[in-house]
Amino acid sequence: MRKIVSGSVPFRNDLVYRESKSGTGTEALRKEWGNGGNKMDRKEKVIQGKTVLGIELGSTRIKAVLMDDTYTPLAVGSCGWENRLENGFWTYHLEEVWAGFRSSYRDLCKNVKEAYGCSLTAVGAIGLSAMMHGYLAFDNEGKLLVPFRTWRNGTTGPAAEALTELFQYNIPQRWSIAHLYQAILNREEHVKEIAYLTTLSGYLHWQLTGKQVLGIGDASGMFPIDSDSKDFQEEMVKKFDGLVKGEGCPWKLRDILPKVLCAGEEAGVLTEEGARLLDESGALSAGIPLCPPEGDAGTGMVATNSVAERTGNVSAGTSVFAMVVLEKELKKVHPEIDLVTTPAGSPVAMVHANNCTSDLNDWAGLFREFAQSAGIRLEQDQLFELLYRKALEGDADCGGLLAYGYLSGENITGIENGRPLFVRTAGSRFHLANFMRVHLFSALGALKLGMDILQKEEQVQMDSLLGHGGFFKTKGVGQSILAAAVNVPVSVMETAGEGGPWGMALLAAYMLEKEAGETLEEYLENRVFAGKTGVCVEPEPEEAAGFEAFLERYKEGIVIERAAAEHLAEAAGAGGQIC
């Protein structure tokens, strides 16, 4: 089993980057990074910029992590936010993006000041990541043409189906190319004005550096990638251009897509304008190098050391996805399976379900409200600890209960518009333990269907999975549920709830210090995770059998979920900024 948890091996490369005196670019300046292994105290590291910064915009939380040369987080900042359903699309307003981005960085700086008594004015490198997929289209003047359409939308069915047939390669509804082609099919006027199409991380990186680039892992959720050329699949690009030739588009696909970069490559530097966009106080210096922006799937792979063949990880929060690094190509096209890449460009099978913990969180909020009404004050961590651990007392098959935590549509089960449901019969064993257990099982229900395709149909082998995200924050509970679901050993690292931005910081550090020929896999294995261990849970046969019994009920009940979506209208005005 692979060893996990934060490392203690010093950086060995002494290259850092600063803006040249002419202000026209960057130059590599020789400077001692780790002081030959004699570590400075943390305050000195912050003052001298011997740190890296990773920021990730997740679905419900924006997090910033400042990491030192031992790969240890020195400070964390965060901000909560929520998407909203407007005019039939799940979206975030760009002003909310910037407000949350700055708020998380401001919170980080506040925590640095409180912990070390100094201000954050420089770092060695910055890495930006965000939720993958979606549709951000801009004109020649940098104006957003239509509101941001996120990965959560299930509105591109005809386009995704047509492109999958054309390419003989699965194109999920949430992919950027599916959004683009659906806009063309819908005859949307803005399509003719598109000058640049990117993801959320690509947009932020562009604004901070002026560079229209994207990390290969995030790019693989826009359009299919050729893992040999480490670029978009050229034959498919040509097929797409031929498909839309008569649609009046004044651009070719290559003209509007970002340049693809791999982990370790330089991706520009923080401009003066970019520094002010991130840090309104004016303290942060320009000229800081940025690594290629990545998607949250890629940062999860890095944060859990899951970039080698036969390794995999599961990121479970608002959505849930499993990433399994493949030894060979899949035998056939599966609409439930995405083919994406690691940040270094290796092929990965991705099972992505739109819904995971949102409905669970809502139920926890209801229980918290009840406790407060009874005069009992519970902190959030206490509440989740209590409720999640109660689930371990339930029946292996959840006592005949059934739930669907579908706040949005779910592609794997063919549900276009979600409705959270809890269902039972008069004979079901209805008590708190089973109630919590069925909601934890349901959070992984759609994921399990996709994993069964990989494991049972494609015979994909996995030595272990590593879990990260909010689902795993209560020690041992989510981990045990996942082990039962996929019947594979599951490990969790101590930073399970904060892995994404830390993974992005590691990618920034890799760009700074990688040695000639050193792969990302080698870097993580030999430096960051060398000799480190995590907590591993083996699947219990009775628990695995219980999940299989639940899954049969889950599959049979999909017709109930579909009927609810057909007959229960969506309430107006959901979501919004909460920073």
Side-chain angles (χ1 to χ4, degrees):
M1 170 153 309
R2 285 189 163 256
K3 306 299 184 182
I4 56 177
V5 186
S6 58
S8 58
V9 182
F11 287 167
R12 295 187 299 220
N13 194 320
D14 57 0
L15 286 180
V16 297
Y17 300 83
R18 288 184 176 176
E19 190 173 24
S20 65
K21 292 181 180 179
S22 65
T24 59
T26 61
E27 57 183 2
L29 299 178
R30 290 280 171 184
K31 184 177 180 182
E32 191 177 66
W33 179 262
N35 198 26
N38 298 317
K39 299 303 169 216
M40 293 179 256
D41 64 33
R42 292 180 171 184
K43 179 176 180 179
E44 280 301 308
K45 292 178 183 181
V46 173
I47 292 173
Q48 296 194 27
K50 295 181 182 292
T51 56
V52 291
L53 173 64
I55 305 178
E56 181 163 286
L57 288 84
S59 301
T60 60
R61 186 152 294 275
I62 302 170
K63 303 174 187 174
V65 169
L66 187 69
M67 185 184 78
D68 73 359
D69 55 356
T70 67
Y71 314 110
T72 302
L74 300 183
V76 176
S78 67
C79 168
W81 69 335
E82 289 286 349
N83 56 188
R84 61 181 78 217
L85 185 63
E86 291 184 346
N87 301 316
F89 292 100
W90 289 100
T91 188
Y92 300 86
H93 294 180
L94 286 191
E95 55 265 30
E96 295 172 345
V97 170
W98 286 110
F101 189 55
R102 292 168 183 143
S103 179
S104 64
Y105 180 77
R106 189 165 56 246
D107 188 44
L108 173 78
C109 291
K110 176 179 71 70
N111 292 331
V112 166
K113 185 76 171 179
E114 290 176 354
Y116 309 112
C118 58
S119 297
L120 186 61
T121 61
V123 296
I126 298 173
L128 305 177
S129 58
M131 60 193 98
M132 292 176 66
H133 316 298
Y135 187 72
L136 279 160
F138 300 88
D139 66 12
N140 273 316
E141 297 180 353
K143 175 187 174 185
L144 184 65
L145 293 170
V146 291
F148 175 27
R149 296 171 183 176
T150 78
W151 59 269
R152 199 171 192 177
N153 290 286
T155 56
T156 65
E161 184 177 348
L163 292 175
T164 297
E165 178 64 26
L166 176 69
F167 297 152
Q168 287 300 293
Y169 188 104
N170 183 38
I171 303 296
Q173 289 197 46
R174 62 187 171 276
W175 278 31
S176 305
I177 194 63
H179 282 278
L180 174 61
Y181 188 47
Q182 190 64 54
I184 293 172
L185 293 178
N186 293 345
R187 302 284 189 257
E188 296 188 41
E189 286 296 322
H190 79 273
V191 169
K192 297 176 182 178
E193 300 178 58
I194 296 176
Y196 184 45
L197 181 66
T198 190
T199 65
L200 183 55
S201 77
Y203 165 68
L204 289 166
H205 185 95
W206 172 35
Q207 297 302 299
L208 265 57
T209 67
K211 302 293 185 181
Q212 294 181 335
V213 301
L214 197 61
I216 193 169
D218 207 0
S220 70
M222 293 190 75
F223 192 87
I225 290 289
D226 182 339
S227 287
D228 292 327
S229 67
K230 302 292 192 288
D231 200 356
F232 295 119
Q233 286 268 7
E234 185 58 32
E235 287 303 310
M236 294 184 192
V237 169
K238 292 176 180 176
K239 285 183 178 182
F240 184 85
D241 285 338
L243 178 67
V244 302
K245 188 174 182 180
E247 300 293 342
C249 301
W251 41 259
K252 296 287 189 180
L253 185 59
R254 284 276 185 183
D255 297 336
I256 63 173
L257 290 177
K259 180 182 179 181
V260 178
L261 297 176
C262 288
E265 295 188 71
E266 297 176 36
V269 299
L270 187 67
T271 64
E272 290 286 355
E273 181 182 14
R276 300 294 76 78
L277 284 171
L278 176 57
D279 181 11
E280 294 174 296
S281 74
L284 187 65
S285 302
I288 299 168
L290 274 78
C291 65
E294 266 299 345
D296 49 359
T299 60
M301 299 178 78
V302 172
T304 55
N305 194 19
S306 303
V307 297
E309 292 178 356
R310 294 176 67 99
T311 65
N313 79 93
V314 173
S315 174
T318 302
S319 65
V320 58
F321 51 83
M323 310 285 289
V324 181
V325 186
L326 298 174
E327 297 178 279
K328 58 184 179 180
E329 292 185 2
L330 301 183
K331 295 190 289 280
K332 57 186 289 190
V333 176
H334 300 278
E336 302 88 352
I337 309 296
D338 297 18
L339 294 175
V340 292
T341 77
T342 70
S346 299
V348 173
M350 176 181 184
V351 180
H352 184 288
N354 288 350
N355 301 278
C356 186
T357 60
S358 293
D359 191 44
L360 260 170
N361 294 341
D362 288 345
W363 281 110
L366 187 70
F367 286 122
R368 185 176 189 176
E369 184 181 346
F370 170 79
Q372 289 175 337
S373 297
I376 302 169
R377 185 173 184 83
L378 289 173
E379 297 299 327
Q380 182 167 301
D381 287 348
Q382 292 176 300
L383 177 71
F384 278 95
E385 179 84 15
L386 188 157
L387 292 174
Y388 273 44
R389 293 215 169 279
K390 194 68 180 176
L392 297 181
E393 302 173 15
D395 298 320
D397 70 343
C398 307
L401 305 182
L402 181 60
Y404 297 94
Y406 291 7
L407 266 72
S408 65
E410 191 55 74
N411 298 333
I412 289 178
T413 52
I415 301 298
E416 185 172 338
N417 296 295
R419 299 292 183 269
L421 288 178
F422 169 66
V423 185
R424 67 186 177 102
T425 66
S428 299
R429 293 179 294 282
F430 182 41
H431 49 66
L432 182 59
N434 278 342
F435 181 83
M436 290 307 303
R437 189 176 183 86
V438 78
H439 281 87
L440 285 165
F441 273 32
S442 178
L444 301 180
L447 178 81
K448 166 67 171 171
L449 294 174
M451 293 298 285
D452 278 355
I453 294 171
L454 285 181
Q455 293 174 287
K456 297 176 181 179
E457 295 185 34
E458 290 284 350
Q459 304 299 312
V460 171
Q461 300 298 310
M462 290 171 277
D463 296 329
S464 67
L465 288 174
L466 295 102
H468 62 107
F471 187 80
F472 301 104
K473 286 190 91 168
T474 300
K475 188 175 181 180
V477 179
Q479 192 176 358
S480 299
I481 300 296
L482 178 60
V486 297
N487 206 20
V488 168
V490 176
S491 294
V492 172
M493 56 189 295
E494 23 178 62
T495 53
E498 307 292 345
W502 182 65
M504 197 63 231
L506 290 175
L507 286 171
Y510 174 62
M511 178 194 68
L512 278 184
E513 64 162 356
K514 68 180 177 65
E515 296 180 349
E518 185 179 26
T519 67
L520 179 62
E521 177 186 344
E522 292 168 341
Y523 173 80
L524 295 175
E525 182 72 11
N526 298 331
R527 302 203 205 188
V528 180
F529 295 97
K532 305 306 170 184
T533 58
V535 178
C536 179
V537 169
E538 297 281 345
E540 295 286 342
E542 181 183 353
E543 300 291 305
F547 202 102
E548 292 290 348
F550 158 79
L551 192 69
E552 291 304 311
R553 192 182 319 128
Y554 183 90
K555 290 189 285 189
E556 289 290 329
I558 288 294
V559 293
I560 308 172
E561 174 66 27
R562 187 169 289 114
E566 291 174 0
H567 299 288
L568 184 62
E570 178 68 63
Q577 174 76 14
I578 61 172
C579 285

